[in-house]
Amino acid sequence: MPTFTTIDNYITNQPKETQIVLEGLRSIIKEAAPGVEEVINYKVPSFRLVPNGKSDQQIMMAGYAKYISFYPFPTTVGHYKDELKEYKQGKGSVQFPFNKPLPKDLIIRMVKFRKEEILSDLK
C-alpha cells in the first residue's frame, strides 16, 4: 500500500466512485466537527476530534472497491448498533456500500457522540 501524506492525496489515488463517497463522508465529518484536524494515521484518512488527539481520539475512514469503512471507535458503534443494523460492522467500524446514500444524520450524531465522549474523558 502506498504511503499518502495528505487526505487529498489519499482520495485522489482512489477509483472515481470511491473518491466521491470518501469526499462525501469527509464533508459530513467536517460539518459535525468544525475545525477537525485532518491527518494520515495507519495509512488512512484520520480526523483528530481534539487538538493533537492520539489515535484513540480520532475517527478514520478508508476506501475499498465497493464500500468505504468508517472507524468511529468501538463505543460509538456499540451505542448506535440498532441504527447500524443494515450495515456490515466490525468492532469499531461500519461499512457504507456505494449502492446506498451515506446516512448523513446518523454519521453526524456518531461523530458528535465520539467527540463528547473524548471530551468527557479529558475532564
Side-chain angles (χ1 to χ4, degrees):
M1 176 182 246
T3 300
F4 302 104
T5 56
T6 66
I7 291 179
D8 286 330
N9 183 247
Y10 179 94
I11 291 173
T12 58
N13 280 282
Q14 303 300 315
K16 189 65 176 165
E17 188 174 27
T18 307
Q19 289 180 30
I20 292 167
V21 182
L22 285 169
E23 283 291 1
L25 181 54
R26 180 189 201 183
S27 177
I28 293 168
I29 291 168
K30 290 170 84 171
E31 180 180 333
V36 69
E37 183 182 0
E38 297 185 342
V39 296
I40 295 289
N41 195 6
Y42 300 108
K43 298 186 178 187
V44 298
S46 304
F47 303 86
R48 291 180 176 158
L49 295 175
V50 296
N52 300 311
K54 300 173 192 158
S55 61
D56 65 342
Q57 297 171 325
Q58 301 171 13
I59 55 176
M60 296 175 256
M61 64 181 188
Y64 297 93
K66 296 182 181 191
Y67 62 89
I68 58 170
S69 282
F70 177 50
Y71 305 88
F73 205 68
T75 53
T76 305
V77 173
H79 185 80
Y80 290 96
K81 67 181 177 200
D82 291 339
E83 293 180 73
L84 293 168
K85 281 183 184 174
E86 67 182 273
Y87 302 101
K88 187 172 181 181
Q89 300 168 44
K91 181 179 177 185
S93 66
V94 181
Q95 291 181 7
F96 295 124
F98 294 161
N99 63 352
K100 293 182 181 181
L102 289 171
K104 181 179 178 178
D105 293 338
L106 176 57
I107 294 168
I108 287 172
R109 286 186 284 124
M110 291 170 73
V111 171
K112 289 181 176 185
F113 174 87
R114 182 62 186 141
K115 184 173 182 176
E116 287 301 316
E117 189 175 46
I118 292 166
L119 292 174
S120 70
D121 288 346
L122 294 175
K123 292 179 182 178

